[in-house]
Amino acid sequence: MKIVKMKDVIKRFGDVIALDNMNLEIEEGEIYGLLGPNGAGKTTAISIICGLLNFDRGEVYVFDKNIRKEPEFIKKSIGIVPQDVAIYGDLTAYENVKFFASLYGLRGKELKESVEMALEFVGLSDKAKEVPNKFSGGMKRRLNIACAIAHRPKLIIMDEPTVGIDPQSRNHILESVKKLNEMGSTIIYTSHYMEEVEAICTRISIMDHGKVIAEGTKEELTSMVTDVNTVYIEIGSIDGIKEEELKGIKGVKAVEIRDSTIKITSLKDVSNFDDIIHYFISKNIPIRNLRNEIPDLETVFLTLTGRKLRD
Amino acid sequence: MRILTIMLKEIKEILYDKKVMAIMILLPIVLIGILGFAFSSTSDIKLGDIKVIYTDEGDTILSQGFDIFIKETDKMGVKFVEIKDVSKGISEIEKRKYDGYVFLKGKDITFYKNAHGDIKTEIAASMIDSFADTFKGMTAIASQNPAFLKNSGDINLNREFIKITSIDRKVKQTSFDYYSVTMLTLIILYGAMSGVFSIDMERTKKTGRRILASPVKKYEILMGKVLGVTFSVFIQALIIVLFSKYIFGTNWGKDIVTVFVIIISEIIFVVGLGVSLGFIIKNGAMAQGLLNGIIPFIAFLGGSYIPVKEMGSQFIEKLSNFSPITWTNTAIFNVILGGNYQYVPTALMVNLIPAAFFIVLSAYLFRREAF
């Protein structure tokens, strides 16, 4: 089942085109990453999916329902973790979660249990009666998540949920995202941080100038921008190493020897790693260090857009 | 149900805010205390003599009865001045030089009220009503049983039958009585700030977007906010009323329900004003500054600090009619002191019609654009 389907969506803000014929399909059960620099259109796309923003042209379906026709039905099953921490500083953590869960129609025992579950999930059960004004940035971010999940939404949209927090809280949040996904929620995760997206997302869209410019798994995306693999091998001495012999290994396109490090570039679709290692073993040359250079999403983004992700 | 959820959240946010509570409750109580004690050492807030003009073209019995009435009421501080010309009498009352004008013609009594219609006018009107009722009763008895009047000593109206209830109780108003009402209605005006912040805060805390992402309808959000802020300000007003009544001994009259109806109408007005300002001016501090500039002026015209009449300026008196708090204060004072409900509908209209306008305006602005 497709949880989200955007078809040729156009959204303008005056003369600025925020979304330019955007197409997007998200399957149930995915952790879907939306990657892109500021102004790429990520938040606009999310706002449209949540029913917060109207659009000029195109079609948007969430849970197979048209967002224009059945916004209330759709909103009931979505939880949003906004980019900015959106909580009430003077209400206790418990009251915050309870308030937002109540807006989704939860009442009585179900409400109480859901609030407690959400606070426990983000590790704030012991802080339930404290006011967030006294919380650290990481704790506020976690409460921000608790407020979005208490009503157990089918689709959770997380808009840069780790901005400005310590590594420990970031890891906690990333683990939470995985757990929520395991518990059955589909996740849309937007971020500047490609390492986060790489770590948790099952599929990724790269957005720029209001369009999805590339989409797929991490491997699919990286394969789009390069057809070679590069291995760096550090050895004690290069005596006995012959460049021609290395070039003779199947798939090897180039060999570069510099000091005690040998850079070997091979075709990506040829599996020759074992042969390369065997070459050094057969010559009794001990390998001190070995590093495989795999293009990351930053490289993909740079290649596709000519800009760095955080430009 | 979602309206109730939002309403409860608003109430909690306002009542948890110690700064707001201090301003809305402690400040008026302190002011009532200071002003009440300061003025109680000199004198009570006096209404002064009630000045009434009259033209006597009544028949003998009515004239005689009225003479006795004048002498009796003189002791209570009601001064009657005879004027021969009816048109001049009406003209004088139109100029608001007197509190009322009585015209006796044959057996009829007509009372013209001062158009400004303050408490003194109402007291004079009530006394004349009382006299007229008694006179009618006496003449009816005389026509049925003339001996009764003879037995009672004279054909004149017996003084005992001119039942003028003591006006001392009604006229007397202590400085605490005065300032408890005016400080309450003044501080309620500041409730507009809570209205502004109920909207602005959702913007600054970014929670508005989160609420709008839920399945709650916009009208539910607006109603929840208006009701929540209204209830919070009402709680604050209730505390002030109870404190002033039991600690300062303020006289809140016999009909506290009507007094609270008027107070609630003022609260709805200020909340409507505040909420709409929150939508119009998308900067809470700026809206707060605007209200801080307007409220003292409205309060001054409404007699919050000193009674407008004491200023002796007809211009300010006329200008005071444009202050909604003038009508609120007048209605409350009349209910408390004179049991007079004449100004209640006016006060309710002056408060509730603009309130309805502001709430409709807010709904329109909210529909067009989110927080």
Side-chain angles (χ1 to χ4, degrees):
Chain A
M1 177 193 175
K2 287 198 172 30
I3 289 278
V4 176
K5 186 177 177 186
M6 294 178 89
K7 197 177 166 194
D8 302 325
V9 175
I10 294 177
K11 173 66 190 173
R12 287 191 181 87
F13 292 107
D15 294 335
V16 179
I17 299 181
L19 294 185
D20 186 5
N21 281 301
M22 179 163 171
N23 289 290
L24 187 74
E25 288 189 0
I26 300 171
E27 296 288 337
E28 187 173 7
E30 285 191 297
I31 302 180
Y32 195 92
L34 271 181
L35 198 62
N38 281 334
K42 303 187 300 284
T43 303
T44 305
I46 281 173
S47 300
I48 288 172
I49 294 167
C50 291
L52 284 169
L53 201 59
N54 216 334
F55 48 99
D56 301 309
R57 255 174 49 192
E59 288 173 15
V60 176
Y61 294 89
V62 183
F63 313 122
D64 281 336
K65 306 275 181 194
N66 190 318
I67 190 98
R68 287 196 203 271
K69 290 178 184 166
E70 297 180 66
E72 228 180 291
F73 174 87
I74 292 167
K75 282 179 172 184
K76 271 182 192 170
S77 300
I78 294 181
I80 182 163
V81 181
Q83 188 171 345
D84 300 296
V85 172
I87 51 175
Y88 299 101
D90 292 328
L91 302 186
T92 65
Y94 187 91
E95 286 169 333
N96 265 285
V97 181
K98 186 181 169 192
F99 169 67
F100 287 111
S102 302
L103 296 181
Y104 290 84
L106 269 62
R107 297 282 177 269
K109 196 181 166 194
E110 187 191 12
L111 174 64
K112 189 173 177 285
E113 284 173 0
S114 299
V115 173
E116 286 168 357
M117 179 280 296
L119 285 169
E120 195 179 327
F121 185 82
V122 297
L124 287 176
S125 290
D126 55 334
K127 305 281 180 191
K129 288 182 180 172
E130 291 181 26
V131 290
N133 276 345
K134 293 175 182 170
F135 285 4
S136 68
M139 285 161 75
K140 284 180 185 169
R141 286 268 167 204
R142 277 146 61 189
L143 181 59
N144 202 32
I145 293 174
C147 291
I149 61 169
H151 61 288
R152 296 170 199 195
K154 285 186 203 163
L155 173 63
I156 301 171
I157 299 175
M158 298 183 148
D159 193 3
E160 311 213 12
T162 57
V163 171
I165 57 168
D166 57 279
Q168 198 184 344
S169 292
R170 173 176 294 180
N171 288 339
H172 191 284
I173 287 173
L174 294 178
E175 284 306 312
S176 304
V177 175
K178 285 182 190 168
K179 264 192 222 166
L180 285 167
N181 182 244
E182 283 162 16
M183 287 159 67
S185 294
T186 303
I187 317 276
I188 300 178
Y189 192 94
T190 83
S191 182
H192 274 112
Y193 302 111
M194 48 134 197
E195 60 274 20
E196 286 182 4
V197 175
E198 280 182 347
I200 62 168
C201 294
T202 50
R203 251 179 353 126
I204 301 154
S205 268
I206 295 179
M207 286 188 72
D208 196 31
H209 298 304
K211 279 183 176 174
V212 173
I213 54 171
E215 200 238 10
T217 62
K218 186 196 159 195
E219 290 73 25
E220 285 168 348
L221 286 171
T222 51
S223 67
M224 279 180 193
V225 294
T226 178
D227 57 353
V228 293
N229 259 343
T230 305
V231 180
Y232 291 86
I233 298 169
E234 199 184 323
I235 52 177
S237 166
I238 58 167
D239 293 345
I241 299 286
K242 289 182 181 163
E243 201 175 313
E244 289 71 27
E245 287 174 355
L246 280 168
K247 278 184 180 172
I249 297 171
K250 66 169 180 180
V252 173
K253 284 188 75 180
V255 175
E256 195 182 327
I257 301 172
R258 196 176 289 173
D259 301 328
S260 58
T261 303
I262 304 163
K263 181 183 173 188
I264 303 169
T265 307
S266 306
L267 288 170
K268 199 176 177 183
D269 50 2
V270 177
S271 179
N272 60 2
F273 194 68
D274 287 352
D275 297 337
I276 292 170
I277 298 299
H278 183 74
Y279 175 81
F280 288 95
I281 293 169
S282 66
K283 298 253 176 193
N284 279 324
I285 298 170
I287 295 171
R288 286 184 179 173
N289 199 5
L290 190 143
R291 183 161 53 88
N292 193 7
E293 188 187 81
I294 302 165
D296 58 15
L297 291 176
E298 183 76 57
T299 315
V300 175
F301 189 80
L302 187 67
T303 311
L304 291 174
T305 66
R307 291 190 288 145
K308 283 192 173 179
L309 196 55
R310 271 165 262 181
D311 271 353
Chain B
M1 202 62 185
R2 287 173 188 146
I3 293 177
L4 187 67
T5 300
I6 293 168
M7 183 182 159
L8 287 174
K9 192 271 290 179
E10 292 298 323
I11 293 168
K12 278 182 193 171
E13 279 221 284
I14 294 171
L15 299 186
Y16 285 1
D17 190 331
K18 293 183 185 106
K19 198 172 146 193
V20 169
M21 291 303 278
I23 291 171
M24 295 299 285
I25 296 174
L26 286 182
L27 184 67
I29 286 173
V30 169
L31 284 173
I32 293 166
I34 291 170
L35 294 167
F37 279 118
F39 286 99
S40 66
S41 60
T42 51
S43 64
D44 291 335
I45 304 277
K46 283 182 177 170
L47 292 175
D49 286 344
I50 297 170
K51 291 187 276 184
V52 180
I53 46 175
Y54 71 98
T55 302
D56 187 357
E57 292 178 13
D59 65 16
T60 314
I61 294 174
L62 178 59
S63 289
Q64 284 177 350
F66 196 69
D67 279 345
I68 296 167
F69 172 75
I70 288 173
K71 282 170 193 156
E72 284 297 310
T73 53
D74 184 68
K75 296 169 196 166
M76 300 172 187
V78 183
K79 305 296 174 194
F80 279 88
V81 178
E82 188 167 14
I83 201 158
K84 295 288 179 194
D85 186 354
V86 179
S87 57
K88 194 183 173 193
I90 293 169
S91 157
E92 293 285 275
I93 213 71
E94 280 173 352
K95 289 176 191 165
R96 302 177 184 177
K97 285 187 177 175
Y98 295 91
D99 298 308
Y101 171 47
V102 185
F103 178 45
L104 308 176
K105 179 87 176 171
K107 288 187 179 348
D108 295 330
I109 304 168
T110 310
F111 184 76
Y112 295 88
K113 285 183 181 179
N114 175 332
H116 194 265
D118 63 7
I119 294 164
K120 290 198 276 189
T121 301
E122 292 310 316
I123 291 167
S126 147
M127 292 166 74
I128 296 297
D129 273 352
S130 175
F131 169 75
D133 287 345
T134 310
F135 182 76
K136 269 188 216 163
M138 290 301 297
T139 48
I141 291 165
S143 64
Q144 295 294 316
N145 183 10
F148 177 81
L149 286 180
K150 281 183 182 171
N151 290 342
S152 69
D154 205 310
I155 59 161
N156 293 336
L157 291 168
N158 189 309
R159 286 172 193 197
E160 284 180 26
F161 288 99
I162 302 173
K163 291 199 174 191
I164 302 162
T165 32
S166 168
I167 59 170
D168 280 354
R169 176 87 185 99
K170 290 180 180 174
V171 174
K172 197 173 178 185
Q173 185 185 38
T174 70
S175 48
F176 281 106
D177 294 341
Y178 184 82
Y179 286 112
S180 292
V181 171
T182 59
M183 288 302 112
L184 173 69
T185 54
L186 165 66
I187 208 69
I188 286 172
L189 288 179
Y190 283 94
M193 302 273 192
S194 295
V196 167
F197 287 122
S198 76
I199 303 302
D200 186 60
M201 179 203 61
E202 304 289 6
R203 250 194 310 261
T204 54
K205 291 184 177 171
K206 316 281 183 190
T207 41
R209 201 173 139 79
R210 184 164 228 160
I211 295 174
L212 288 168
S214 75
V216 182
K217 292 187 173 71
K218 280 189 174 177
Y219 85 87
E220 292 175 316
I221 299 171
L222 186 62
M223 286 315 295
K225 284 191 168 288
V226 169
L227 291 173
V229 181
T230 300
F231 188 79
S232 305
V233 180
F234 173 75
I235 292 289
Q236 291 158 347
L238 183 66
I239 294 170
I240 295 167
V241 170
L242 292 175
F243 192 92
S244 63
K245 183 175 173 66
Y246 293 108
I247 305 298
F248 296 138
T250 300
N251 170 29
W252 284 98
K254 289 175 184 168
D255 186 0
I256 195 71
V257 174
T258 304
V259 170
F260 268 114
V261 167
I262 301 164
I263 288 170
I264 290 168
S265 75
E266 189 199 348
I267 295 172
I268 296 171
F269 163 68
V270 299
V271 172
L273 171 70
V275 167
S276 61
L277 274 180
F279 281 112
I280 295 165
I281 305 171
K282 297 188 184 305
N283 179 324
M286 201 182 281
Q288 187 183 13
L290 181 71
L291 285 172
N292 274 328
I294 293 172
I295 289 173
F297 185 63
I298 293 175
F300 167 77
L301 290 178
S304 293
Y305 311 113
I306 47 167
V308 173
K309 280 208 158 188
E310 302 265 315
M311 296 177 212
S313 163
Q314 280 210 344
F315 173 72
I316 293 177
E317 251 184 75
K318 281 180 185 170
L319 203 60
S320 73
N321 290 332
F322 293 98
S323 167
I325 207 174
T326 299
W327 299 99
T328 301
N329 285 343
T330 304
I332 293 175
F333 281 138
N334 273 277
V335 170
I336 293 172
L337 299 171
N340 170 23
Y341 295 86
Q342 187 189 348
Y343 297 98
V344 176
T346 312
L348 294 183
M349 279 196 293
V350 165
N351 286 329
L352 294 178
I353 291 173
F357 168 76
F358 288 130
I359 291 168
V360 169
L361 177 67
S362 302
Y364 172 73
L365 294 170
F366 195 25
R367 197 181 150 88
R368 281 188 58 190
E369 198 178 341
F371 291 109

